[in-house]
Amino acid sequence: MGAVTSSMAAKFAFFPPNPPSYGVVVEESTGKLKLTEVAAKENVDILKLPTKKGTEIVAVYIRNPAAMLTVLYSHGNAADLGQMYELFIELSHLLRVNLMGYDYSGYGRSTGKPSEQNTYADIEAAYRCLEETYGVKEEDVILYGQSVGSGPTLDLASRLSRLRAVVLHSPILSGLRVMYAVKRTYWFDIYKNIDKIPLVECPVLIIHGTADDVVDCSHGKQLFELSKQKYEPLWVKTGNHCDLELFPEYIIHLKKFISAIEKSTSFRNVSALCMNQIDKPRSSTDCRPRPSTDQREKSRLSTEKRELRTSTDQRDKSRASIDRKEKSSKSVDLSDKANDNTEQPEKARKSIDRFGNMMRSAVLCNIDCFKPVEANV
């Protein structure tokens, strides 16, 4: 009975792209693995990792020379590495992190069949690779789970006491709760995140769209309330299930979170920081963003906003020097520097615009739809 129920649940939970969006080949010149259909990059390793369930999963590891932290990203249920590749590259660059992404068993060119227990073995294999192959320490790892990827993310996070942080992107309370408004956990449910998140000791950031028509925003809200170490959540106004990356506040808030985690030298400092970042949670389950001045001010802490302020200050100094009609070489130098810095706001805007345009070209609406359009049950 349990196997039958689990099999039925899997039909609703897993939709690997068919055919896969990429292939895996061996480069003759180097003997290294390479993904087809995507651009090869020198800072990207392609890996095949064995799992304790006997399957072999495909993973990508992206190095960033400026990184202090490493993100282990578990993607949504209707995507594979070929579709997520450009997003991973961009996130590694913009967030200044190393990033590992992987395909679940039965996804892309990973062997086996997708199941809840296989995804737990899959993320363990990816995490073990980070430790053993790349020497990454537990306290330098951020687990990132999108939609169904929140399942393996929280399962692993609940068992790692020194983990640096967790990001949950459009997460689910459980598989059954996506389809039915049940108020208790049943034995046949899958991805019981509602029961596991209280066990997570590290800071948790939750990102959810207020207009999500696949996984209601109340899932993210309840997980936020159940988190031990709460970081200021991001409720993306009008955001749906598959388009949050298109909103500028997505990358701005992520950068602020990563920066806060980097600056905290100990777990205790991170915990204290989390409590300072949020207001007292409301009892309501509505996820409309709180229109507080604090949040607008905090968003200015991002790199882009700092650059905008720096550039404005420099232009003011330049105008003041011209008014005083100082003809010294020092005045000329300051003016030249100010003119150079006027390019910074444009670069900041282009960075966000480029990220949004890149995500639009990826056709994210075809990625990570939790429910099938047509299902034969």
Side-chain angles (χ1 to χ4, degrees):
M1 178 63 179
V4 173
T5 305
S6 180
S7 178
M8 291 179 63
K11 291 182 179 179
F12 285 96
F14 304 110
F15 306 100
N18 188 20
S21 67
Y22 69 94
V24 180
V25 297
V26 178
E27 284 187 315
E28 294 183 2
S29 58
T30 64
K32 295 182 178 180
L33 294 178
K34 174 184 176 182
L35 296 187
T36 63
E37 312 305 328
V38 299
K41 295 183 180 294
E42 292 184 359
N43 66 322
V44 178
D45 294 339
I46 309 302
L47 309 156
K48 287 187 176 181
L49 308 175
T51 77
K52 66 182 183 181
K53 291 288 186 179
T55 64
E56 187 177 64
I57 62 171
V58 180
V60 298
Y61 179 75
I62 304 164
R63 295 181 299 278
N64 185 317
M68 295 174 60
L69 303 172
T70 298
V71 172
L72 177 52
Y73 195 117
S74 300
H75 63 63
N77 67 343
D80 64 20
L81 286 180
Q83 293 170 314
M84 301 297 294
Y85 184 80
E86 290 300 328
L87 172 62
F88 288 166
I89 296 292
E90 198 72 5
L91 286 177
S92 174
H93 170 67
L94 292 176
L95 300 179
R96 294 191 306 176
V97 295
N98 302 314
L99 188 148
M100 174 170 279
Y102 65 99
D103 264 341
Y104 310 120
S105 297
Y107 276 69
R109 298 299 174 178
S110 296
T111 64
K113 294 182 179 181
S115 71
E116 178 187 15
Q117 295 303 316
N118 276 350
T119 61
Y120 296 157
D122 298 337
I123 194 172
E124 285 180 10
Y127 176 74
R128 185 171 63 248
C129 175
L130 287 178
E131 282 192 317
E132 297 177 357
T133 303
Y134 296 102
V136 179
K137 298 178 180 179
E138 179 181 331
E139 52 267 30
D140 293 330
V141 174
I142 297 175
L143 298 185
Y144 188 120
Q146 180 183 11
S147 189
V148 76
S150 61
T153 291
L154 281 176
D155 183 75
L156 182 59
S158 68
R159 294 181 281 116
L160 296 178
S161 61
R162 292 179 290 110
L163 195 64
R164 193 63 167 266
V166 167
V167 179
L168 300 178
H169 175 151
S170 305
I172 64 174
L173 286 168
S174 73
L176 190 61
R177 285 175 172 85
V178 175
M179 298 178 285
Y180 306 104
V182 296
K183 295 184 178 181
R184 54 170 291 188
T185 298
Y186 292 89
W187 63 270
F188 53 82
D189 202 353
I190 63 173
Y191 296 129
K192 303 177 184 72
N193 293 340
I194 189 173
D195 298 329
K196 294 178 181 178
I197 197 164
L199 305 176
V200 177
E201 300 292 342
C202 65
V204 176
L205 164 64
I206 296 180
I207 303 172
H208 215 124
T210 63
D212 194 322
D213 59 5
V214 178
V215 179
D216 190 80
C217 187
S218 59
H219 286 245
K221 181 66 176 180
Q222 191 167 346
L223 289 172
F224 168 75
E225 292 173 344
L226 291 170
S227 300
K228 280 185 177 180
Q229 304 294 342
K230 298 175 175 65
Y231 186 86
E232 178 189 2
L234 175 61
W235 311 125
V236 182
K237 188 176 181 180
T238 73
N240 208 318
H241 193 65
C242 309
D243 64 356
L244 300 188
E245 296 90 340
L246 302 180
F247 291 80
E249 55 263 44
Y250 166 81
I251 194 64
I252 290 173
H253 201 79
L254 264 181
K255 290 186 74 170
K256 183 174 71 170
F257 177 66
I258 297 295
S259 178
I261 296 299
E262 285 179 341
K263 291 176 182 177
S264 299
T265 56
S266 70
F267 180 82
R268 291 182 181 274
N269 289 344
V270 173
S271 300
L273 177 65
C274 288
M275 298 309 296
N276 290 333
Q277 289 288 339
I278 61 172
D279 298 324
K280 185 177 180 180
R282 296 175 295 169
S283 59
S284 169
T285 56
D286 101 56
C287 298
R288 289 173 295 181
R290 286 166 283 185
S292 67
T293 303
D294 288 344
Q295 286 189 3
R296 291 194 297 270
E297 290 297 322
K298 289 175 183 176
S299 68
R300 292 176 185 169
L301 295 176
S302 66
T303 302
E304 287 83 0
K305 298 301 182 182
R306 288 199 300 271
E307 290 175 345
L308 287 173
R309 288 202 302 271
T310 301
S311 180
T312 301
D313 292 342
Q314 295 280 6
R315 289 197 299 271
D316 290 341
K317 292 178 181 179
S318 175
R319 286 195 294 267
S321 66
I322 293 173
D323 291 339
R324 289 192 301 268
K325 297 181 180 180
E326 294 177 353
K327 300 301 182 179
S328 65
S329 58
K330 181 178 181 181
S331 176
V332 173
D333 289 341
L334 286 173
S335 180
D336 290 342
K337 290 179 181 178
N339 289 334
D340 291 340
N341 282 328
T342 58
E343 297 178 3
Q344 292 183 7
E346 186 64 24
K347 289 180 180 179
R349 286 193 294 270
K350 285 182 178 180
S351 177
I352 293 176
D353 291 344
R354 178 165 57 89
F355 184 75
N357 291 335
M358 182 271 293
M359 294 315 302
R360 288 186 183 90
S361 67
V363 196
L364 276 179
C365 286
N366 291 327
I367 296 178
D368 191 27
C369 295
F370 198 89
K371 298 175 183 177
V373 176
E374 296 181 2
N376 298 321
V377 181

